[in-house]
Amino acid sequence: MEQGIAKHSTRHILGRDGHHELEEAIIYRAGEHKGEVYARGKLRHTNGEHRVLDLGILRWHLIVHDVAGAAYTLTGKGTAQFD
């Protein structure tokens, strides 16, 4: 962080839609870890869609974007369904 590679943030909102809030986060802006987000504390859904996830305060956790919304299904009949 001292070199400007990463930024520390409290109450960081994730994503363009702002669906999740991290109590404490480290966001890498440059270097080999650019784009990675690490968090500790609580992860909340801003619209209350699920329970609060307590990550604890001792360890940092890598936060990975879930791309399930972009999933698709192929059937044996030559059709594809995009969710």
Side-chain angles (χ1 to χ4, degrees):
M1 288 185 295
E2 293 174 3
Q3 299 172 354
I5 294 173
K7 177 185 173 197
H8 179 263
S9 179
T10 56
R11 298 194 61 180
H12 179 74
I13 303 296
L14 284 175
R16 294 177 202 154
D17 298 332
H19 288 283
H20 294 91
E21 178 184 298
L22 301 171
E23 185 174 2
E24 188 176 9
I26 301 285
I27 302 103
Y28 282 86
R29 307 237 183 243
E32 71 177 87
H33 296 286
K34 182 179 179 178
E36 291 182 5
V37 177
Y38 290 83
R40 65 181 180 184
K42 294 184 176 23
L43 181 139
R44 290 179 176 82
H45 196 277
T46 56
N47 296 329
E49 291 183 19
H50 55 74
R51 292 184 288 163
V52 173
L53 177 62
D54 188 351
L55 301 172
I57 59 170
L58 297 178
R59 295 186 179 179
W60 290 94
H61 301 270
L62 175 62
I63 304 301
V64 179
H65 180 72
D66 180 7
V67 293
Y72 63 91
T73 304
L74 295 175
T75 66
K77 299 177 181 171
T79 59
Q81 176 182 346
F82 295 88
D83 299 330

